[in-house]
Amino acid sequence: MKFIPPFGLGTFRLKDQVAVDSVRTGLELGYRHIDTAQIYGNEAEVGQAIADSGVARDELFVTTKVWTENLGSGRVLPSLRESLQRLGLERVDLTLIHWPSPNDEIPVAQYLGELLEAKRQGLTAAIGVSNFTIAHLREAIEAVGVDEIATNQVEIHPLLQNRKLVTFARQQGIHLTAYMPLAYGKVLAEPEIQRIAAAHGASPAQVALAWSLQQGYTVIPSSTKRENLAANLAAAELRLSTEDMAAIEALDRGERVANPGFAPRWD
Ligand SMILES: NC(=O)c1ccc[n+]([C@@H]2O[C@H](COP(=O)([O-])OP(=O)(O)OC[C@H]3O[C@@H](n4cnc5c(N)ncnc54)[C@H](OP(=O)(O)O)[C@@H]3O)[C@@H](O)[C@H]2O)c1
């Protein structure tokens, strides 16, 4: 399994020049892992920022995700080739299946088999999944073997700790990437998070990110602001105590932010 850097830069919702600027600033500040997706409509902007940055390709870790409309037979590879063209890259470091096929119309084994073929052809160095439930992970393991699944990227933050899924993934040795690690800002208003932040002379965002990092998750927060991008990256230096971690664990209330109509039946 390919190593996934623990700190990445999210790009969901960022369009046009805002996307270019966020990624360019992130790269200037030292981010070396960028998370994009076909559906974000910003692969070209991410590619432009990477090209402008002058950062050597082998220092970068770039992830993209195959959209649900590209899961059908014979669609995965051509769609990934189009992503590479937009990104201006010969290969990405990681390609994820963005969501399981809505209503499981297309079997996991079919589209993951095609994604594995993309890896064999050198379009992506590693493959993985996103928004997969325990049932989907079981199918994925059966289809391609656990060692091929570099990560399951799912919503995890103090308000949605996803314990059942986390326990299963840990048992299987599947790495987790925490998306929306700030619950799109909701976490920052939590009094308990604010209290812990004040005690450490840190920000609430840093506490939320440190909480994820200390559990071994990769985090991929996004920001359009230089000061937030810089402060978030510095969360890697913050050490939360056992008491802090326990206090945050008690905040779990299953509050899901990303829950579109085509989402699977969550664990
Ligand atoms: N696989 C999937 O289905 C999936 C789904 C959702 C997201 N993702 C990935 O996960 C990434 C992160 O999720 P997200 O972008 O939705 O939400 P997020 O990272 O949890 O939160 C981003 C929001 O928090 C604010 N923020 C960031 N840093 C801050 C700071 N230090 N202090 C105060 N506010 C701060 C940002 O505003 P400012 O711009 O003003 O800083 C923005 O409004 C996405 O960009 C995407 O790459 C994946």
Side-chain angles (χ1 to χ4, degrees):
M1 184 183 90
K2 188 166 163 127
F3 171 74
I4 301 180
F7 218 102
L9 179 62
T11 64
F12 180 34
R13 295 183 207 85
L14 308 185
K15 298 274 189 218
D16 306 318
Q17 195 58 38
V18 176
V20 178
D21 291 344
S22 174
V23 176
R24 189 181 284 156
T25 307
L27 291 170
E28 272 174 32
L29 291 168
Y31 285 81
R32 290 294 178 266
H33 167 185
I34 314 291
D35 182 88
T36 182
Q38 293 172 344
I39 196 67
Y40 298 171
N42 62 16
E43 289 175 310
E45 287 75 10
V46 168
Q48 189 192 325
I50 289 172
D52 292 351
S53 74
V55 175
R57 176 65 186 94
D58 62 3
E59 284 180 27
L60 275 178
F61 189 97
V62 181
T63 303
T64 195
K65 314 185 196 79
V66 177
W67 188 239
T68 55
E69 284 169 11
N70 294 327
L71 297 180
S73 180
R75 293 283 304 133
V76 174
L77 273 92
S79 88
L80 185 51
R81 283 200 190 92
E82 286 163 20
S83 287
L84 292 174
Q85 205 152 39
R86 286 188 290 268
L87 284 159
L89 299 176
E90 273 178 25
R91 79 163 68 174
V92 280
D93 299 280
L94 176 64
T95 304
L96 306 178
I97 297 297
H98 203 150
W99 290 83
S101 173
N103 299 315
D104 295 315
E105 198 182 313
I106 302 159
V108 170
Q110 185 187 313
Y111 54 75
L112 265 187
E114 293 192 15
L115 191 56
L116 187 57
E117 176 57 23
K119 179 184 164 188
R120 291 197 178 114
Q121 291 189 18
L123 307 183
T124 184
I127 66 171
V129 296
S130 176
N131 296 299
F132 268 39
T133 62
I134 292 172
H136 287 109
L137 284 179
R138 287 190 198 281
E139 284 189 59
I141 292 166
E142 175 84 21
V144 296
V146 73
D147 290 344
E148 288 293 349
I149 305 166
T151 195
N152 184 20
Q153 183 183 122
V154 289
E155 183 176 341
I156 299 182
H157 45 71
L159 309 180
L160 176 73
Q161 300 187 16
N162 238 323
R163 288 286 160 207
K164 258 176 100 172
L165 179 70
V166 167
T167 302
F168 178 78
R170 284 193 174 140
Q171 281 164 356
Q172 301 293 325
I174 296 176
H175 176 74
L176 291 163
T177 300
Y179 80 60
M180 278 185 182
L182 308 176
Y184 198 53
K186 259 191 186 177
V187 160
L188 313 181
E190 278 300 307
E192 192 61 6
I193 299 279
Q194 292 177 346
R195 182 191 65 76
I196 294 167
H200 286 273
S203 70
Q206 288 172 329
V207 170
L209 295 170
W211 172 82
S212 274
L213 289 168
Q214 278 181 225
Q215 287 169 100
Y217 311 145
T218 287
V219 290
I220 48 169
S222 77
S223 176
T224 55
K225 302 195 176 79
R226 176 180 279 269
E227 61 272 26
N228 287 350
L229 288 168
N232 291 349
L233 199 54
E237 316 304 321
L238 176 62
R239 292 304 301 170
L240 298 176
S241 68
T242 311
E243 293 74 28
D244 296 332
M245 294 296 284
I248 298 171
E249 198 177 328
L251 297 179
D252 188 11
R253 42 182 197 253
E255 204 168 310
R256 201 176 281 281
V257 179
N259 201 10
F262 57 82
R265 194 189 301 257
W266 301 111
D267 295 296

